[in-house]
Amino acid sequence: MITEPGASHELDSSGPSCYYFAICYYFPMLKKGATSVIIAFVVAASGTAAADSLDELRRRAKKPPTNPQKALELGRELRHGALYQESLRALRMGYGKARGIPMVSALRMAVARTHLANHDQKRALRECEQLKKLKSRTQYLCIAEARLMRKRGSLALPAAEKMLKYEPKNYDAMVAKGRAQAQLGRTKDAEFALRQAIALEPNRHEAFEHLGHLQLAAGRTSEGTDSLRSALKLGPQSALVQFALAGALPVGTEAVTLLQSAIAQRRQYAEAHARLGKVLLKLERWKEAETALVSASGLKPSKVDWSVDLAKAVLAQGRARPALAAVQAALKVAPHHPEAKLVEADALAASGEIDLAISAYEMAYGLSRREPASLVRGAQASLRGKRPTTAAAFAERAVDEFPKWAPAWVVAGDVAAAHGTKADAKRAYKKALKLGGPLDRAAVKKKLRALQ
């Protein structure tokens, strides 16, 4: 039996092994010639959660089978592990003994999918052309999946429908149809097609996965999460499903476990490293967050947001200077990035550079006037830096611009208390307790009691 099920949607997140931001981040602490030590550290960090199964796959890939069906199965496994070159080699080993259009088509289709997973649409389309020369109906499925990679639903849909004309019960074509309709904004039609695919083959995970994405995009969080859980149950080794489900869940242990598992399946899954770092940041697991974000930034150094998160993790551990180096490297790439400028201000303040920090807080607010954090943190840093007048100016602007945001009133109370105006401080703290926004109510009540 010829089998090469699904996974056509798999666009892996691996990238070049470039560690520019990681080196920039550590550079102030390095002596000349020590760069290789840092690179070695980053490489080690990116592989700490790697699964033994990947090593086993690599071992098997060294001597791929010539039996076409076995080559097909190994090629698929290697693709799922993001071992793309090994996958192509294994699949092509099956060419020699492949007989008949169905087997040759399955191998060609698998090669196309490996190229798509590796973000290479051009080579994938070449395989579609080879399928066309074979006069194989699979050419239409190949074209549909290749066009979906670049979100060309208008080109993918007719190809998927052509495939379904010949094979009305083709699961992969039905999934491709649903994905194309989703890209065209036809949500109801997309959901109908994906549910048809599930009815055709209820034990496969791809349709559940795309249904979950569709539901989440429509704000149907509970349904989307349930669909992704179904996908994970049916495809427990899918790093993409693990990644998607982790993103749909609240920050917590389950999300961490899913992301670690995704990384174990794909060691160079940069987005999974980055999301893991962000989740760990929110859980205040600073050192672990740093390790994950060093790996992410090393794999995809152009991602400024990841470098900013890395700076946050380092700063939270009290290492202001290296945090400053990391975020300033990011600002060289994106000088108008508001969050990067805000983290730079925090790092400057923590380094004792209060005047530069004040200027950076002002610039951060100028870059994002809908975000009150720069005003609040500017006031807090100014208080710590013995700049009470500047602190008052930041706090006053915070409550004027964001009168319904509790943290603005808390910092206004802090400034008033520092100036010795207890009545104003009490009013500000009481106001904060009545408003929304992130608020440590117990801490504010403690401040109120201290003013009695």
Side-chain angles (χ1 to χ4, degrees):
M1 179 180 180
I2 299 168
T3 58
E4 208 296 293
S8 57
H9 60 288
E10 290 201 14
L11 301 181
D12 181 59
S13 305
S14 63
S17 297
C18 175
Y19 302 99
Y20 171 77
F21 272 124
I23 293 171
C24 285
Y25 157 58
Y26 284 100
F27 189 77
M29 298 181 288
L30 295 178
K31 294 182 179 179
K32 188 175 180 180
T35 303
S36 60
V37 176
I38 298 307
I39 293 178
F41 167 76
V42 177
V43 173
S46 68
T48 52
D52 291 340
S53 59
L54 278 176
D55 294 326
E56 172 63 15
L57 272 177
R58 282 196 175 94
R59 186 192 65 76
R60 290 168 59 197
K62 289 179 180 179
K63 292 184 178 181
T66 57
N67 177 279
Q69 181 62 41
K70 290 182 178 179
L72 191 61
E73 292 167 0
L74 178 59
R76 178 174 178 267
E77 287 184 69
L78 290 164
R79 181 175 77 242
H80 287 177
L83 300 174
Y84 301 126
Q85 294 308 312
E86 293 89 338
S87 173
L88 292 171
R89 180 169 176 264
L91 291 167
R92 286 167 179 157
M93 283 294 289
Y95 283 176
K97 294 188 177 181
R99 298 291 183 269
I101 288 178
M103 177 55 74
V104 176
S105 297
L107 287 166
R108 289 282 182 189
M109 187 68 208
V111 169
R113 284 170 168 168
T114 297
H115 286 310
L116 289 173
N118 199 26
H119 307 282
D120 194 339
Q121 187 195 52
K122 185 179 291 186
R123 284 190 171 88
L125 285 169
R126 287 177 191 166
E127 294 300 324
C128 299
E129 282 297 315
Q130 293 299 317
L131 287 164
K132 184 177 180 180
K133 290 177 183 178
L134 288 170
K135 297 183 179 180
S136 168
R137 296 171 181 175
T138 310
Q139 64 176 288
Y140 302 113
L141 176 60
C142 185
I143 291 167
E145 293 186 357
R147 295 304 181 189
L148 286 167
M149 175 191 163
R150 295 286 175 85
K151 301 190 183 301
R152 299 297 299 273
S154 59
L155 297 176
L157 183 57
E161 289 178 330
K162 192 81 174 279
M163 185 70 187
L164 288 167
K165 180 181 177 181
Y166 290 114
E167 298 181 22
K169 295 184 178 182
N170 187 293
Y171 174 89
D172 292 316
M174 192 65 74
V175 172
K177 180 179 178 179
R179 293 174 62 204
Q181 289 171 325
Q183 288 183 4
L184 293 170
R186 304 174 188 173
T187 304
K188 290 184 179 179
D189 291 338
E191 182 165 348
F192 181 72
L194 291 170
R195 291 193 182 282
Q196 280 186 297
I198 290 169
L200 288 170
E201 295 199 37
N203 293 323
R204 286 182 59 180
H205 76 271
E206 297 88 357
F208 278 108
E209 178 183 353
H210 289 291
L211 179 60
H213 287 304
L214 190 71
Q215 291 165 331
L216 290 173
R220 295 154 58 189
T221 305
S222 179
E223 292 175 78
T225 302
D226 288 344
S227 293
L228 289 174
R229 287 196 186 281
S230 295
L232 186 61
K233 183 178 180 180
L234 295 168
Q237 301 304 312
S238 173
L240 296 178
V241 174
Q242 291 166 342
F243 177 80
L245 180 56
L249 293 173
V251 170
T253 303
E254 186 179 5
V256 170
T257 301
L258 285 166
L259 291 167
Q260 288 173 335
S261 182
I263 292 166
Q265 298 299 324
R266 296 188 173 191
R267 296 179 184 178
Q268 292 188 318
Y269 197 162
E271 281 77 5
H273 284 287
R275 184 170 289 177
L276 176 60
K278 188 173 282 293
V279 169
L280 291 167
L281 270 178
K282 291 179 179 178
L283 294 173
E284 299 185 358
R285 292 161 61 175
W286 314 123
K287 185 61 182 176
E288 294 171 85
E290 178 188 357
T291 299
L293 291 161
V294 164
S295 296
S297 295
L299 290 164
K300 287 197 174 180
S302 62
K303 297 287 188 178
V304 173
D305 288 346
W306 301 355
S307 191
V308 173
D309 284 340
L310 173 58
K312 290 179 186 177
V314 176
L315 185 59
Q317 296 175 69
R319 291 150 49 204
R321 289 296 177 183
L324 184 60
V327 76
Q328 287 180 339
L331 283 165
K332 286 180 180 178
V333 177
H336 302 298
H337 194 292
E339 190 174 15
K341 181 57 70 173
L342 179 55
V343 175
E344 181 192 36
D346 290 338
L348 286 166
S351 300
E353 302 284 356
I354 188 59
D355 292 324
L356 292 174
I358 288 168
S359 177
Y361 283 121
E362 291 171 344
M363 290 178 66
Y365 182 63
L367 291 169
S368 182
R369 293 184 177 274
R370 294 184 179 181
E371 174 53 62
S374 52
L375 296 175
V376 171
R377 279 146 68 173
Q380 293 168 336
S382 297
L383 277 179
R384 292 192 301 268
K386 310 300 181 185
R387 299 289 193 277
T389 302
T390 304
F394 273 122
E396 183 179 355
R397 193 165 188 182
V399 295
D400 285 346
E401 298 289 338
F402 304 95
K404 295 182 179 180
W405 202 58
W409 288 97
V410 173
V411 79
D414 293 342
V415 170
H419 280 82
T421 53
K422 291 186 178 183
D424 290 341
K426 287 179 182 179
R427 279 194 295 270
Y429 290 144
K430 288 177 180 179
K431 179 81 172 178
L433 291 170
K434 296 177 182 179
L435 298 173
L439 183 67
D440 186 341
R441 300 182 68 83
V444 175
K445 290 178 179 178
K446 184 177 180 180
K447 290 178 180 182
L448 269 171
R449 290 194 297 270
L451 294 172
Q452 300 301 329

